[in-house]
């Protein structure tokens, strides 16, 4: 195997490794209808048709949240808070 073929195989393997270990980060701010940040709201993902929670966090004092997703797939994004309507969306 020539040096060019070895280099190509190495780059292909490196690209595959980067894709396998990559993470998806979902982040944003939860606000009410007047764009006021909502602190301490539950933000979580459930897996497709299954209702088990895969990732979970809550918003900080500025309404900011950050979720790390390690496996690609179909999820349902959920936001729940006391005194607020629940929100769900397929992603």
């Amino acid at each position: 195997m020539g040096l060019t073929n070895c280099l190509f195989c190495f780059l292909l393997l490196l690209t595959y490794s980067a894709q396998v270990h990559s993470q998806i980060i979902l982040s944003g701010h939860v606000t009410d209808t007047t764009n006021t940040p909502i602190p301490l709201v539950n933000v979580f993902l459930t897996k497709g048709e299954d209702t088990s929670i895969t990732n979970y966090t809550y918003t900080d004092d500025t309404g900011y949240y950050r979720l790390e997703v390690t496996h690609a797939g179909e999820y349902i994004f959920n936001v729940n808070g006391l005194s607020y309507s629940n929100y769900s969306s397929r992603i």
Side-chain angles (χ1 to χ4, degrees), residues 7 17 23 30 37 48 55 57 88:
L7 182 59
S17 296
Q23 291 183 333
V30 177
N55 301 72
T57 191
S88 295

Side-chain angles (χ1 to χ4, degrees), residues 31-76:
T31 60
D32 64 14
T33 56
T34 63
N35 286 330
T36 302
I38 306 174
L40 304 176
V41 171
N42 300 316
V43 179
F44 60 97
L45 296 177
T46 54
K47 184 75 174 158
E49 298 304 319
D50 184 3
T51 58
S52 61
I53 295 174
T54 60
N55 301 72
Y56 175 85
T57 191
Y58 57 91
T59 58
D60 65 10
D61 291 340
T62 66
Y64 177 78
Y65 68 89
R66 183 176 190 270
L67 286 171
E68 293 183 22
V69 182
T70 55
H71 296 87
E74 186 174 314
Y75 294 92
I76 300 173

